[in-house]
Amino acid sequence: MSFAEILGGTLSPDANIREQATRALESAENENFDETRQEQHSQRWLQADEGVRGQVKQGVLVTLSSENRQATTAAAQAIAAITATELPQGQWQDVIATLLQNVTSSNTGLKISSLQTIGFICESISPEILAAQSNTILTAVVQGANSEEPSQEVRYAAITALLNSLEFVRQNFDNEGERNVIMQTVCEATQSPDDSVQAAAFECLVRIMQLYYDKMRFYMEKALYGLTVIGMKHEDEKIALQAIEFWSTVCDEEIELQIEEDARDPGQPPERENYQFAKTALSQVLPTLLFLLTKQDADADEDEWNVSMAAATCLSLLAQTIGNDIVAPVIPFVEQHIRNPDWHYREAAVM
């Protein structure tokens, strides 16, 4: 059965055919290829008959409207793989426009699968190749992630696509108005009633801090200090872990800036400014991290990453970032809990 026939099978009215086609897609999805094999497959694809390639491309685009979520995910991955092969060669130039048109559809399933496809494409293609289309892609994903979007599934797909596109929208981040829209959209998504949307939004903030630390001063003062501290206390571990990771990322950036500062020749102006976000937020972040240290799970796997371990890592990075200023506020916690009858607090004090 050819790939086009498999895709057609996912839309068949016959349940048995749909199931067989879905299994075939899952099998293809689970295959792992090293870079050499991927290159071989890319070359074979480019050498294939143009008519056959066109048929397959039409098939995967049609499959995006399937009601079978596994089929649409596999189709999205196939479109991303084909785009990653053809777009650098100047081929399939209209694929992004087609997907963006789908995003405006009234068909919620098609909107979700198309946004998912855009995310996969952004993840798999060099930012330079997509830079020319960054404005249209960004407009579509921001619209999908907007708080006025009634479907939380659409918002999740859009936020995930935004996460994957952040690296090539640098020009948009340089524009204050566009940057404000992006940051407002992501911050509003951290307040979504859907936990998956919230977690994805905090993951976006982590990536934004990695890429655009220099532009975050205004947003830290206006919203991010409070949002991320609240996020660290969230009952859903996925959300709490991303909010903690945000502050670990802040510390990573500021440790790197301090290293650059120490290596700079006297009298030479710094290339980047250290805004000392970690030091400014110490009174809010530190008590939260100390509290999260007490959230150990006695039954947790030793290698399982959890809130307590993430808080310990973040606390270590915070200490490296601000130095001796962390000692005085930590001592009362240690003194209070070093002999606490509750082992959670005892262990946290020792940690």
Side-chain angles (χ1 to χ4, degrees):
M1 187 184 293
S2 71
F3 191 55
E5 290 172 330
I6 293 173
L7 291 170
T10 66
L11 302 174
S12 171
D14 188 316
N16 290 327
I17 294 177
R18 288 201 308 273
E19 184 177 352
Q20 290 174 8
T22 299
R23 286 177 180 173
L25 284 172
E26 288 176 345
S27 176
E29 180 184 346
N30 291 330
E31 285 191 46
N32 293 315
F33 300 121
D34 58 28
E35 289 187 12
T36 302
R37 287 193 67 189
Q38 286 177 348
E39 179 62 27
Q40 290 172 350
H41 281 277
S42 295
Q43 291 305 315
R44 284 174 58 190
W45 172 260
L46 292 171
Q47 291 166 11
D49 179 79
E50 189 172 339
V52 173
R53 284 193 286 151
Q55 184 183 8
V56 171
K57 288 187 285 190
Q58 183 60 33
V60 287
L61 286 172
V62 169
T63 304
L64 290 179
S65 61
S66 169
E67 294 182 2
N68 185 316
R69 190 58 61 85
Q70 291 173 315
T72 59
T73 299
Q77 291 173 327
I79 293 169
I82 295 170
T83 305
T85 298
E86 291 200 358
L87 206 57
Q89 307 299 321
Q91 302 178 35
W92 211 12
Q93 297 280 356
D94 61 345
V95 62
I96 299 295
T98 300
L99 293 169
L100 295 177
Q101 186 176 358
N102 289 348
V103 172
T104 65
S105 166
S106 59
N107 182 332
T108 299
L110 182 59
K111 287 172 71 171
I112 292 169
S113 59
S114 297
L115 284 165
Q116 185 180 38
T117 306
I118 291 170
F120 287 154
I121 290 173
C122 293
E123 191 176 23
S124 59
I125 292 184
S126 172
E128 293 78 16
I129 295 172
L130 287 176
Q133 302 184 72
S134 64
N135 286 334
T136 52
I137 292 174
L138 190 60
T139 298
V141 297
V142 166
Q143 182 179 349
N146 194 284
S147 60
E148 296 179 3
E149 168 58 52
S151 169
Q152 295 304 311
E153 283 188 279
V154 170
R155 289 187 79 187
Y156 175 74
I159 285 289
T160 303
L162 178 60
L163 172 65
N164 291 331
S165 68
L166 284 170
E167 194 166 346
F168 71 81
V169 296
R170 190 170 296 276
Q171 189 173 356
N172 304 90
F173 253 86
D174 286 339
N175 181 298
E176 183 180 357
E178 294 180 25
R179 185 170 68 245
N180 287 343
V181 171
I182 296 170
M183 293 303 298
Q184 179 179 344
T185 300
V186 177
C187 288
E188 287 177 349
T190 66
Q191 305 305 298
S192 164
D194 186 283
D195 288 349
S196 295
V197 175
Q198 286 194 48
F202 277 111
E203 189 174 359
C204 257
L205 290 177
V206 172
R207 187 64 176 145
I208 287 170
M209 183 57 73
Q210 287 177 330
L211 294 170
Y212 305 112
Y213 173 94
D214 299 337
K215 301 185 185 303
M216 287 298 103
R217 187 174 189 176
F218 172 79
Y219 308 103
M220 291 294 287
E221 293 172 352
K222 291 295 182 181
L224 297 185
Y225 283 124
L227 284 179
T228 52
V229 170
I230 292 172
M232 287 195 290
K233 300 173 184 177
H234 202 284
E235 292 182 357
D236 188 302
E237 189 169 73
K238 297 190 302 294
I239 296 171
L241 285 172
Q242 290 299 333
I244 297 168
E245 183 63 24
F246 175 86
W247 282 103
S248 292
T249 301
V250 169
C251 292
D252 283 335
E253 292 298 314
E254 295 188 344
I255 289 169
E256 183 63 31
L257 285 169
Q258 188 57 53
I259 291 172
E260 292 175 9
E261 172 67 19
D262 293 341
R264 185 169 55 88
D265 292 334
Q268 181 184 2
E271 293 184 8
R272 301 170 61 203
E273 184 175 353
N274 186 337
Y275 293 122
Q276 299 188 340
F277 295 142
K279 187 173 184 178
T280 302
L282 183 63
S283 61
Q284 295 175 287
V285 173
L286 181 59
T288 305
L289 290 175
L290 293 174
F291 170 72
L292 293 175
L293 289 179
T294 68
K295 296 299 181 181
Q296 312 97 320
D297 183 355
D299 299 324
D301 192 301
E302 194 173 290
D303 298 326
E304 181 182 346
W305 189 247
N306 54 42
V307 167
S308 177
M309 293 173 65
T313 299
C314 187
L315 184 60
S316 174
L317 289 168
L318 190 62
Q320 293 177 58
T321 307
I322 66 173
N324 292 335
D325 289 346
I326 200 172
V327 176
V330 167
I331 287 177
F333 178 86
V334 175
E335 291 177 340
Q336 182 180 353
H337 298 298
I338 195 68
R339 292 184 176 85
N340 195 307
D342 187 330
W343 70 270
H344 295 87
Y345 285 87
R346 256 196 336 272
E347 188 171 300
V350 172
M351 193 181 298

